Amino acid sequence: MTEHVYSCSDISAAQPSVVALFVSDVHLSADIPATTEAFLQFLQGPARQTKALYLMGDLFEYWVGDDDIGDPYHQTICDALLACYHAGIRIYWMHGNRDFLVGSAFADRCGLQLLPDHQILQTGKNSLLLTHGDAECTGDLPYMAFRQQVRQPQWQQQFLSQPLEKRREIARQMRQQSQQKQANAMALGDVDDAAIRTLVEKHGAQIMIHGHTHRPAMHQYAEFSRYVLPDWDCDHAASPRGGWLALLSDGSLQAYDVHGAATQLPLHPHAA
Ligand SMILES: [Mn+2]
């Protein structure tokens, strides 16, 4: 696992401004027009007020290979991301468990930079550890085995060598299976507390940000804080769901809902 460290030099301005935005689990697909529209509005509005945008996994519901960029729906998303890039916003991409096949062709098309699974963002005051979160769900043994398999270059080469239409069909089947599984189990797995503590300690981070679990919250530990990003759904939920986290120039973090209103994340204290 490679890791690079870099700094946000614009921390500590007199008036707090937005330094970076973090968003994950939008689960974009052509089947969810309202969520798609909400995300496009985000890219045209709030995202333009920052200098760095971190897409922290599962932006897409599924991604079967960069040769699917030509799909008209994907073109719309790529154009919107590229417009942000041309507006001077640095866009960083972290893979999720659904769009881990996004590669350099997609990154080049959209003007974004691919990040490793675990990324340290140094704010001057704090070390922020960024990750999607699926690798920390160590209690889900079948998923961990699946993850290990599909992250192997050999598996990916074999998958990508199949015709595009066949890969789309496989993705459709996998989505159906995962929707049934989630309906039965009522919920996605959560991250493992011991795995979190080990990872944060290893990186010496004071703040961790992740998504994946669809359980937006701020977890307060003795040594660090853990922010969980919300998932987005403006098509099925009774009230539109989604939002993002903003890193401000004073080093603080502020959550926003899908309408762009400042919001408070539920607070969960953890025993030492
Ligand atoms: Mn995920």
Side-chain angles (χ1 to χ4, degrees), residues 226-252:
R226 173 165 67 90
Y227 291 80
V228 187
L229 297 166
D231 63 309
W232 292 47
D233 188 353
C234 304
D235 290 85
H236 308 101
S239 58
R241 198 168 71 222
W244 56 91
L245 202 58
L247 172 67
L248 305 181
S249 55
D250 64 1
S252 65

Side-chain angles (χ1 to χ4, degrees), residues 17-69:
S17 58
V18 180
V19 174
L21 295 181
F22 308 92
V23 59
S24 75
D25 300 280
V26 188
H27 292 272
L28 288 172
S29 81
D31 302 337
I32 48 166
T35 311
T36 303
E37 184 54 32
F39 183 68
L40 293 175
Q41 294 284 336
F42 164 74
L43 290 182
Q44 286 160 20
R48 301 299 176 97
Q49 267 119 59
T50 187
K51 290 173 179 164
L53 171 61
Y54 288 83
L55 304 172
M56 290 181 50
D58 290 352
L59 183 74
F60 291 108
E61 174 72 354
Y62 61 96
W63 189 259
V64 297
D66 282 2
D67 54 343
D68 204 13
I69 289 173

Side-chain angles (χ1 to χ4, degrees), residues 196-247:
I196 292 291
R197 289 173 194 267
T198 303
L199 184 70
V200 169
E201 195 174 319
K202 180 185 143 198
H203 290 277
Q206 288 77 46
I207 294 169
M208 177 179 185
I209 302 174
H210 70 84
H212 180 63
T213 62
H214 302 189
R215 292 175 171 90
M218 201 277 254
H219 295 261
Q220 189 61 61
Y221 299 76
E223 305 288 331
F224 64 96
S225 311
R226 173 165 67 90
Y227 291 80
V228 187
L229 297 166
D231 63 309
W232 292 47
D233 188 353
C234 304
D235 290 85
H236 308 101
S239 58
R241 198 168 71 222
W244 56 91
L245 202 58
L247 172 67

